[in-house]
Amino acid sequence: MEQNCKKQLYSDVARIKRFMIFRKDQYGINLVQEYNSFGIKLKAIPFKTHGLRGMAAIAEAPDPDVILLNTKRSPLEQNFDCGHETMHLGLHRHTGQKTFNCYDEVTAKQNPFLEWQANEGSAEFFVPHRIFIPMLHEVLGLHPTFQTVQEFIRLASNTFMVPRQVIRYRLENLKYEILQFYIGIDVYDLELLSKAQQERKGLYIRSLNSLSYGEQLDMCEYIQQLGGMLCEI
């Protein structure tokens, strides 16, 4: 049986948050400000390398692990980058890799799966799906439009203290789970599947990011159109 890597990742993120004395569904976290308490050396400097967002280094005890952030990025971007590097430190010690240099785009020298875990893990850390999805449903209702989705992105960015691009990332990577919630599945019973796992099951779901200017999506009609697929949920 295929391992559910997204479900396991979210479980690992909850474990990391508990270790850091956060509740698993806590949000609005300014991680950069909190880092003095975690025994990890955090420093922000102006990187010269183009596209370099953050760096993490796993140290040998008793030396502390190190996270470096780029002061050329906004405070919200640095907050998310800090979460990304935290995921590397918390999840990837077993890989034998001691340093992680993280860029705007995954490079040939990086492991795409480890970078997916760090990105998706940071997104779940700051924007817990069990809080985000019901909030989306309440704000957007059954007839989301391009305009209301953009307003929701701005609201969620402020609420969860992450860049707007992270909210767009959540809309894309949680589209299957969002659809489940819309058909009445409890947020604690959602099936968590990565994009690759969804595609292997033949699940191709439209993201709310894809709405064009002036377009309105009737969620009830859309769900009916996907009726055959929904029978498999």
Side-chain angles (χ1 to χ4, degrees):
M1 181 180 294
E2 180 185 36
Q3 181 183 10
N4 190 323
C5 57
K6 189 172 182 179
K7 181 178 180 180
Q8 181 59 53
L9 175 62
Y10 283 14
S11 176
D12 289 338
V13 171
R15 171 181 56 80
I16 290 170
K17 289 181 81 169
R18 287 194 299 269
F19 178 78
M20 299 175 79
I21 321 299
F22 295 122
R23 300 184 307 277
K24 64 180 180 179
D25 287 334
Q26 187 171 339
Y27 61 94
I29 299 171
N30 189 328
L31 190 58
V32 173
Q33 285 189 355
E34 296 282 352
Y35 243 86
N36 288 335
S37 307
F38 303 137
I40 296 172
K41 185 176 181 180
L42 176 68
K43 188 173 181 179
I45 58 176
F47 292 166
K48 294 182 180 180
T49 303
H50 178 72
L52 183 59
R53 294 183 174 188
M55 303 172 65
I58 297 173
E60 297 291 339
D63 295 328
D65 293 339
V66 176
I67 289 177
L68 297 179
L69 301 176
N70 189 354
T71 56
K72 295 179 181 178
R73 288 170 61 76
S74 73
L76 288 184
E77 288 173 328
Q78 289 183 56
N79 198 38
F80 184 78
D81 296 342
C82 187
H84 179 105
E85 304 307 332
T86 297
M87 292 301 113
H88 281 311
L89 295 178
L91 297 173
H92 302 146
R93 308 183 84 86
H94 68 283
T95 65
Q97 187 172 337
K98 294 297 183 181
T99 60
F100 300 87
N101 298 341
C102 302
Y103 297 84
D104 291 338
E105 302 290 340
V106 177
T107 70
K109 295 182 179 180
Q110 293 176 287
N111 182 312
F113 181 69
L114 299 188
E115 291 306 310
W116 172 80
Q117 284 191 317
N119 267 331
E120 187 73 21
S122 185
E124 174 66 12
F125 184 99
F126 289 109
V127 190
H129 73 283
R130 290 174 178 168
I131 304 298
F132 178 75
I133 294 175
M135 175 184 171
L136 178 146
H137 185 275
E138 181 179 356
V139 172
L140 295 182
L142 293 174
H143 300 92
T145 66
F146 173 86
Q147 289 85 348
T148 59
V149 170
Q150 300 313 304
E151 291 169 4
F152 172 77
I153 289 171
R154 288 191 288 271
L155 170 65
S157 172
N158 293 330
T159 300
F160 295 103
M161 294 186 66
V162 294
R164 293 178 187 179
Q165 185 56 37
V166 173
I167 302 303
R168 295 186 182 96
Y169 179 88
R170 287 309 253 170
L171 290 177
E172 185 67 33
N173 286 15
L174 288 173
K175 57 189 178 182
Y176 175 54
E177 292 80 6
I178 290 168
L179 184 63
Q180 292 178 65
F181 190 79
Y182 263 92
I183 66 173
I185 298 176
D186 188 271
V187 72
Y188 287 92
D189 296 327
L190 301 177
E191 181 181 32
L192 303 172
L193 292 182
S194 68
K195 180 182 178 181
Q197 289 172 313
Q198 292 173 40
E199 292 178 352
R200 282 196 287 273
K201 295 181 70 170
L203 302 175
Y204 296 92
I205 299 164
R206 186 179 184 186
S207 163
L208 290 172
N209 287 321
S210 69
L211 287 175
S212 57
Y213 184 80
E215 183 181 4
Q216 180 183 77
L217 182 63
D218 186 321
M219 292 299 293
C220 294
E221 181 178 334
Y222 177 58
I223 289 170
Q224 289 176 353
Q225 292 173 357
L226 295 171
M229 184 209 72
L230 296 179
C231 293
E232 302 298 325
I233 296 181

